[in-house]
Amino acid sequence: MKKVFTLVMMMLVAGTTCVFADVDETFQFMDKDGNVLADGAEWVATEVENDGWDDMVVSGLYVKNNSTVSNPIAKLVCTIEEMPEGSTLQCCFPGNCMLWSEVGEHANGPAQYGSSNMQTEWIPVSGEPGECKATFQLFYCKKKTFGDGYNETAGPTIHVTFRYGMGDDPSGINLSTRQLDNSSAIYDLQGRKLQSVPQHGIYIQNGKKYVK
């Protein structure tokens, strides 16, 4: 009986090892400094940029290419779990920019790997604090030998929470896209100059975000 139990345990361990081995690492998620993020990692994005029209919470994520193949083909699958109505998630990796406004599974690609920047941002409802939760998974794709389409090998995943206006670190606001003409001037989150500090809400002064 003991031998049977030992054999069963060895088979379970071997099966578990195979599950982990199935995660392809041709592409991996990494931060801006090139640090690779573990499969299944949790990531919180609070950095805000403004493109002249909207505030966007940028993911801050990049994709590392470990392939020795010239021009490898990648695919990114995004499963949006929570997102306020009226907001949008934009993803420009690895192909054209896609805009998703509904909870559920979405995909970008297969397409040729180009820039390592994942170029993914959540565009919240203007001025409304909130968060968006999504899981991203990378796939390494090879064209089928016969017929159309690709064979896809599943890569790592990452769970991302985008947060906007929820009392996060004021340094998360990135004003590089706005030319501030006076360091003591006061602005709202859309970059509009205010005459005085608002009685309620969020404002920016001296490059920092404040909440009243």
Side-chain angles (χ1 to χ4, degrees):
M1 186 68 180
K2 184 176 181 181
K3 289 183 178 179
V4 173
F5 176 77
T6 303
L7 180 61
V8 171
M9 289 301 295
M10 290 176 65
M11 291 174 66
L12 287 173
V13 170
T16 303
T17 302
C18 289
V19 169
F20 284 105
D22 285 341
V23 177
D24 183 88
E25 295 186 346
T26 301
F27 301 113
Q28 293 176 295
F29 293 105
M30 63 181 180
D31 63 19
K32 64 180 180 180
D33 297 318
N35 300 307
V36 172
L37 304 172
D39 177 38
E42 300 282 343
W43 182 263
V44 178
T46 60
E47 183 179 349
V48 177
E49 292 183 353
N50 191 289
D51 62 358
W53 292 276
D54 301 293
D55 282 337
M56 305 183 298
V57 183
V58 298
S59 70
L61 292 170
Y62 293 76
V63 177
K64 183 179 182 181
N65 174 21
N66 296 315
S67 174
T68 57
V69 176
S70 177
N71 302 323
I73 302 298
K75 179 181 177 180
L76 185 70
V77 172
C78 170
T79 302
I80 302 174
E81 289 115 22
E82 296 179 25
M83 188 166 67
E85 186 176 352
S87 64
T88 306
L89 191 64
Q90 175 176 269
C91 176
C92 299
F93 179 91
N96 296 325
C97 290
M98 310 289 287
L99 290 172
W100 303 316
S101 57
E102 296 181 353
V103 169
E105 185 176 295
H106 311 275
N108 194 335
Q112 183 177 308
Y113 174 93
S115 170
S116 62
N117 191 334
M118 206 168 99
Q119 301 180 77
T120 298
E121 306 90 16
W122 174 51
I123 306 171
V125 179
S126 180
E128 293 187 13
E131 65 179 25
C132 169
K133 294 184 178 181
T135 297
F136 298 89
Q137 183 168 21
L138 293 165
F139 288 82
Y140 176 48
C141 306
K142 290 183 179 180
K143 280 197 172 185
K144 292 181 178 179
T145 305
F146 301 101
D148 299 326
Y150 294 85
N151 292 315
E152 301 175 356
T153 306
T157 61
I158 190 166
H159 308 288
V160 182
T161 299
F162 299 86
R163 287 181 181 157
Y164 176 75
M166 300 181 68
D168 296 299
D169 185 351
S171 63
I173 289 286
N174 185 334
L175 298 179
S176 60
T177 57
R178 289 289 185 181
Q179 186 64 41
L180 304 185
D181 57 357
N182 190 324
S183 61
S184 63
I186 302 165
Y187 298 83
D188 64 13
L189 287 177
Q190 282 68 50
R192 295 176 297 218
K193 192 173 181 179
L194 304 177
Q195 296 301 315
S196 60
V197 174
Q199 293 184 351
H200 301 286
I202 304 169
Y203 66 95
I204 299 167
Q205 187 175 33
N206 295 324
K208 292 186 178 181
K209 181 179 71 173
Y210 299 90
V211 181
K212 289 195 68 177

